[in-house]
Amino acid sequence: MSYAIPAFLPFFLAALFAAIAPVRFRYLLVLVPLVNGILIYLNADQLTPISIQLHTFTLQIMDVGAQVTEQDAKLTLLFAYLFHLACFICLIYALHVKDKVQIVAGLLYAGSAVGAVFAGDFITLFIFWELLAVTSAFLVFARRTKASKAAGIRYLIIQVLSGVLLLIGAISYFQQTGSLEIGYIGLGSMASWLFLIAFGIKAAFPFMHSWLTDAYPEATPAGAVFLSAFTTKVAIYMLARTFPGEDLLVYIGAAMTCFPIFYAVIENDLRKVLAYSLINQLGFMVCGIGIGTALALNGTVAHAFNDVIFKGLLFMTMGAVLHRVGHVNGSNLGGLYKTMPKTTIFCIIGAASISAFPLFSGFVSKSMVMAAMIEAGHEYLWLMLLFASAGVFHHAGIKIPFFAFFAHDSGLRPKEAPTNMLVAMGIAAFMCILVGTYPEFLYQMLPWENSYVPYDLTHTLTQLQLLFFSALAFVWLNKKGLYPPELKSVNLDFEWIYRRAMPAAGLGLARFADNLKTHFVGFAVSAVNALPAKKRGNDANAATLTLRMALGFVVLAVLAFVTQFI
Amino acid sequence: MKIEANNTGQKVHFFDNPKNVTWMIRIFYAICILLVVADFVVHRHIYLSYDEIPAFYAIYGFVACVVLVIIATGMRKFVMRDEHFYDKREDEVEQIVPRVDVKHTPDSNQDTESHS
């Protein structure tokens, strides 16, 4: 038996089914990623390459088989498994949702991500890249608030821009090399920079990140879980394929680990905190790609795998709160553990995983990137990553569960999350603990040779010290009253440029142009008025008329002359 | 929207009892101390020059978080705006959630606030 269909096809067919079938059949959809994922896993060695001839061009939609290097094939497969697993969990989480828009968009979105990782050339990638953008935007629109509509449009514009840059990059790459095959590019040519920016937008590089923190918190509860899994990870996958070992990425990644945590500490919307912390985690992966050694790349891939699960889990817990309470503002939450104990436990498991607590999944993958950083000799950057590790525990590990479920009692007594949400969170939590306690499960799938041992005495002890003393700082700051209280607020980030500064500048320009027009018209009117009125009797009128006719003729002549040039 | 639930006869939750919280914090302090002591007992690998400092990771973790919070709090002066700064969020509806009235004693620890 061999697997001879495009891997994304079942997702698209399922989306079609979801669109036309009565909504009560949505339970069947959960089987699609599960069965498709298992089939791909069982036939991992016998995947059939598929390509479509389009005029003179061949779209390689399933780039598998003998011509692909072993590493690339493993990398592709690992991400494919990951996306199937993520889609499976997301669909269970969304089972209570009767809104067809979300289900269809979610399936198309997951299918596009699967299609993107199996793509063999940049044009096929471009198609799925844009599909990712378009389909995912509906997960934001589906919230159906004014803010989400506006955020969805902004998200869509930036995502499509990324795709356009990718297309321009692909065209100029084709001109230079005559090939569109996805493979190592390396920085240098114009095309490579375009690729880097295109991938960088989706990977939320600094100053290109604000679409993420803008749109994800506006999405529906289930939509945010979908969103956190796919777009950014496809970008990480592409960076790992095309720019491994690119030194610049180490610095970009280190910046990405550090700057979001400051925002995360003062942010009130807890899903926005998670969005910032997502950028922070992406930073570790980008660092790993920049280092480019086998250990670093393995670490990147492993961390991407874990991040999808634990970040998904955290988004799910906050989604459950949003579903039950209607908002996730830290300032108005607290004490929810009393009525949502299961969600609280899952949130703590997710928080422990993202903070890289021993026995939880983050511990076995983040440290691979850290260790690779030391091996590569980037001591100062390593200190930055260590700072970010302490910081991530602080804002995602403590702040999220503390302000939502403990802290001061808000008096809210919402019901526990719906059963399907709890099941989805349970699966994700189980995966976090499974990978954390039995890392071989993940390590055996890694593309490169792997001999990393996460559980040695030094690593466990130092990590525990780091985390416990970060927690100590939290306790101490809280006792001293130094900890910034959760306040209803918006924090200005880079998006201010295009949400405030650019519109303001545009309006200013328009006003300036308007003023200019008014002045010009006023000037023209006064010039006309300045013409001598020559009221000297009847025969003088004829002279005035002649003068005016002469002037009119000149104006007409000038206009005729001007129109020749338009 | 507020639905008043019956406030009396509620069970006292684990973190509502100040004693529990005090004990948890004490255990937490004890673990912190043990971890620092372990640093002197256990021979750990040294990878970098900073690593040689005793309890380097503990100090770094503590200092990092304090610095993080202080800088972030300072950032609020420059970046914080009203929550309706970009969007008017009138069309967002909160769910109707059962509520109870909680009396917050002014000087108690955040964790140890109790129900009346």
Side-chain angles (χ1 to χ4, degrees):
Chain A
M1 197 171 92
S2 72
Y3 188 93
I5 54 167
F8 63 85
L9 196 64
F11 289 90
F12 285 16
L13 291 178
L16 186 68
F17 175 75
I20 53 179
V23 79
R24 63 175 181 278
F25 288 124
R26 65 187 184 279
Y27 297 100
L28 294 174
L29 298 172
V30 173
L31 295 174
V32 173
L34 187 68
V35 172
N36 199 41
I38 291 175
L39 283 179
I40 292 179
Y41 182 76
L42 293 178
N43 298 302
D45 301 328
Q46 295 129 309
L47 296 177
T48 316
I50 297 172
S51 55
I52 297 177
Q53 193 69 31
L54 229 130
H55 195 46
T56 55
F57 188 73
T58 314
L59 291 178
Q60 293 174 301
I61 50 176
M62 280 291 276
D63 187 32
V64 287
Q67 79 277 17
V68 185
T69 62
E70 193 197 340
Q71 268 79 31
D72 285 349
K74 279 185 162 179
L75 188 66
T76 302
L77 277 176
L78 181 60
F79 273 86
Y81 299 149
L82 174 62
F83 290 156
H84 280 83
L85 177 64
C87 182
F88 174 63
I89 295 175
C90 289
L91 283 176
I92 295 180
Y93 186 76
L95 270 184
H96 67 285
V97 178
K98 294 203 176 79
D99 176 15
K100 278 190 178 181
V101 174
Q102 288 184 53
I103 302 171
V104 173
L107 279 166
L108 289 174
Y109 180 38
S112 311
V114 172
V117 294
F118 279 113
D121 62 275
F122 284 113
I123 298 299
T124 313
L125 175 71
F126 163 75
I127 295 170
F128 287 113
W129 199 258
E130 292 292 35
L131 275 175
L132 278 172
V134 175
T135 53
S136 59
F138 283 90
L139 296 169
V140 185
F141 293 137
R143 182 93 175 274
R144 295 182 176 88
T145 59
K146 269 187 202 160
S148 74
K149 275 176 202 154
I153 295 284
R154 286 192 295 272
Y155 169 82
L156 194 57
I157 291 172
I158 296 175
Q159 295 291 307
V160 169
L161 176 72
S162 157
V164 172
L165 290 173
L166 175 64
L167 184 63
I168 303 173
I171 292 168
S172 81
Y173 185 70
F174 183 73
Q175 275 192 326
Q176 283 167 10
T177 61
S179 154
L180 277 170
E181 197 101 333
I182 294 178
Y184 176 77
I185 300 174
L187 271 184
S189 63
M190 171 77 182
S192 64
W193 281 97
L194 285 168
F195 280 131
L196 186 71
I197 296 171
F199 300 153
I201 291 176
K202 274 218 197 322
F205 281 6
F207 305 114
M208 306 176 192
H209 68 277
S210 48
W211 59 268
L212 199 163
T213 51
D214 182 19
Y216 283 18
E218 300 294 349
T220 62
V225 185
F226 272 105
L227 285 166
S228 72
F230 299 110
T231 301
T232 49
K233 303 309 175 297
V234 173
I236 292 294
Y237 165 82
M238 282 316 303
L239 283 171
R241 285 286 299 267
T242 51
F243 292 103
E246 191 59 60
D247 215 27
L248 178 66
L249 290 180
V250 187
Y251 299 96
I252 293 178
M256 283 168 74
T257 59
C258 283
F259 88 88
I261 58 179
F262 293 99
Y263 276 101
V265 167
I266 51 175
E267 181 56 53
N268 188 31
D269 183 333
L270 294 182
R271 288 202 304 171
K272 203 162 186 171
V273 174
L274 288 178
Y276 276 113
S277 121
L278 179 54
I279 301 175
N280 158 283
Q281 298 298 313
L282 291 170
F284 284 95
M285 297 170 216
V286 173
C287 275
I289 296 167
I291 299 166
T293 57
L295 175 64
L297 289 170
N298 272 340
T300 297
V301 179
H303 203 52
F305 187 96
N306 289 336
D307 183 63
V308 167
I309 309 290
F310 59 60
K311 188 54 58 63
L313 176 56
L314 287 169
F315 266 110
M316 282 193 267
T317 59
M318 286 305 111
V321 172
L322 179 66
H323 178 69
R324 284 300 191 211
V325 182
H327 69 84
V328 275
N329 295 332
S331 54
N332 298 17
L333 290 175
L336 297 189
Y337 78 95
K338 292 170 185 172
T339 51
M340 302 180 82
K342 292 176 190 134
T343 310
T344 309
I345 290 170
F346 292 137
C347 184
I348 292 174
I349 291 174
S353 303
I354 195 173
S355 322
F357 239 90
L359 301 180
F360 292 92
S361 60
F363 182 76
V364 302
S365 55
K366 193 192 277 182
S367 49
M368 293 169 83
V369 177
M370 303 278 284
M373 204 74 162
I374 295 183
E375 275 181 11
H378 292 294
E379 286 189 17
Y380 292 108
L381 295 180
W382 178 81
L383 281 178
M384 276 173 82
L385 293 199
L386 198 63
F387 173 74
S389 301
V392 72
F393 179 48
H394 206 84
H395 71 256
I398 305 178
K399 172 172 169 161
I400 294 277
F402 183 74
F403 284 107
F405 297 108
F406 303 101
H408 69 284
D409 191 344
S410 59
L412 293 168
R413 296 290 182 269
K415 279 197 284 185
E416 180 59 278
T419 313
N420 65 303
M421 284 188 170
L422 290 175
V423 171
M425 288 188 262
I427 295 172
F430 171 77
M431 292 297 298
C432 286
I433 297 175
L434 174 72
V435 174
T437 48
Y438 178 63
E440 273 311 306
F441 171 80
L442 179 58
Y443 285 175
Q444 62 172 353
M445 290 190 282
L446 293 178
W448 287 268
E449 199 64 41
N450 187 46
S451 57
Y452 183 73
V453 182
Y455 287 104
D456 68 355
L457 193 64
T458 306
H459 180 205
T460 314
L461 177 66
T462 51
Q463 183 69 10
L464 280 175
Q465 285 177 339
L466 185 77
L467 294 180
F468 268 85
F469 277 78
S470 303
L472 186 67
F474 183 82
V475 172
W476 181 74
L477 288 163
N478 249 328
K479 286 212 171 222
K480 290 272 170 201
L482 289 173
Y483 199 80
E486 297 291 289
L487 297 175
K488 284 186 177 184
S489 61
V490 160
N491 295 311
L492 301 186
D493 193 352
F494 187 73
E495 73 203 84
W496 178 81
I497 300 279
Y498 58 80
R499 293 185 73 176
R500 273 301 160 100
M502 274 162 51
L507 286 175
L509 266 177
R511 263 199 302 278
F512 176 71
D514 201 41
N515 276 340
L516 213 63
K517 189 182 128 202
T518 318
H519 278 115
F520 188 75
V521 169
F523 175 75
V525 167
S526 58
V528 169
N529 290 342
L531 287 176
K534 303 205 172 168
K535 284 181 179 168
R536 271 172 291 158
N538 278 344
D539 53 337
N541 277 347
T544 314
L545 212 61
T546 317
L547 176 67
R548 290 196 177 164
M549 278 169 71
L551 278 173
F553 179 73
V554 170
V555 170
L556 275 177
V558 170
L559 272 178
F561 187 70
V562 168
T563 49
Q564 293 303 306
F565 292 95
I566 294 173
Chain B
M1 282 297 207
K2 212 173 181 186
I3 296 178
E4 293 292 339
N6 191 6
N7 224 358
T8 53
Q10 271 200 65
K11 76 170 188 179
V12 175
H13 290 269
F14 185 79
F15 292 101
D16 288 338
N17 186 347
K19 273 187 195 161
N20 289 342
V21 177
T22 319
W23 268 107
M24 279 193 67
I25 290 185
R26 275 186 201 154
I27 293 170
F28 171 70
Y29 288 152
I31 296 174
C32 287
I33 293 167
L34 277 178
L35 282 171
V36 174
V37 173
D39 207 62
F40 293 95
V41 180
V42 177
H43 177 75
R44 62 178 165 91
H45 293 286
I46 305 293
Y47 295 107
L48 292 170
S49 51
Y50 332 101
D51 255 359
E52 293 167 18
I53 305 166
F56 166 74
Y57 290 85
I59 299 166
Y60 192 83
F62 188 85
V63 172
C65 282
V66 172
V67 169
L68 168 69
V69 168
I70 289 172
I71 294 179
T73 315
M75 258 169 64
R76 275 197 161 159
K77 285 198 186 86
F78 304 100
V79 298
M80 195 169 79
R81 296 291 184 277
D82 179 72
E83 65 172 331
H84 299 293
F85 178 72
Y86 289 126
D87 302 297
K88 298 272 172 288
R89 299 181 160 272
E90 293 125 357
D91 56 344
E92 282 164 32
V93 273
E94 293 197 6
Q95 307 288 319
I96 301 166
V97 184
R99 270 177 182 273
V100 294
D101 271 344
V102 185
K103 282 210 180 93
H104 293 293
T105 39
D107 54 3
S108 67
N109 185 293
Q110 278 196 326
D111 286 333
T112 58
E113 286 160 356
S114 57
H115 288 277
S116 52

